[in-house]
């Protein structure tokens, strides 16, 4: 885990730097990068939709971006996400289900 300069003294007490994502946030962002919608992430993880939205808001805040797409781009640029290995997913809507 990386620590910023002010946080390096707090390392022994279990303090996390604000620039680091939690494992749950990383999993949510990876699912979003793989093409899942927040509703699909809800179904896969079994948490409430509001919790997924809150996780995404926290991710956007940590990365300093305004959209989920920008958060995925920032995660890929920082090396927090692994690139998708399969082809693009077909977008789902009421006609393609």
């Amino acid at each position: 885990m990386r620590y910023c300069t002010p946080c390096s003294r707090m390392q022994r007490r279990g303090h996390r730097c604000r620039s680091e994502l939690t494992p749950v946030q990383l999993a949510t962002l990876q699912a979003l990068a793989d093409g899942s919608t927040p509703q699909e992430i809800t179904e896969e993880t079994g948490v409430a939709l509001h919790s997924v939205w809150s996780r995404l808001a926290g991710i956007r805040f940590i990365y300093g971006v305004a959209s989920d797409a920008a958060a995925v781009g920032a995660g890929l640029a920082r090396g927090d996400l692994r690139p998708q290995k399969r082809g693009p997913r077909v977008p789902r809507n009421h006609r393609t289900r």
Side-chain angles (χ1 to χ4, degrees):
M1 182 178 293
R2 295 171 293 179
Y3 288 90
C4 61
T5 304
C7 297
S8 62
R9 288 177 245 132
M10 303 286 285
Q11 184 175 4
R12 287 188 215 117
R13 290 188 256 170
H15 175 77
R16 263 182 60 306
C17 181
R18 281 197 112 168
S19 65
E20 294 291 327
L21 295 180
T22 65
V24 173
Q25 287 174 326
L26 281 172
T28 302
L29 187 61
Q30 184 66 53
L32 190 69
D34 289 341
S36 297
T37 64
Q39 290 80 10
E40 291 171 342
I41 296 170
T42 296
E43 293 169 4
E44 292 169 7
T45 59
V47 298
L49 182 59
H50 187 272
S51 297
V52 173
W53 287 338
S54 294
R55 290 176 188 168
L56 292 173
I59 293 166
R60 289 191 306 268
F61 176 76
I62 289 172
Y63 284 159
V65 296
S67 69
D68 293 341
V72 169
L76 287 169
R78 285 180 57 170
D80 292 339
L81 297 177
R82 57 186 187 281
Q84 186 175 0
K85 294 181 181 173
R86 58 187 184 328
R89 292 178 58 178
V90 177
R92 290 198 227 169
N93 60 29
H94 65 283
R95 294 185 186 133
T96 59
R97 284 191 183 231

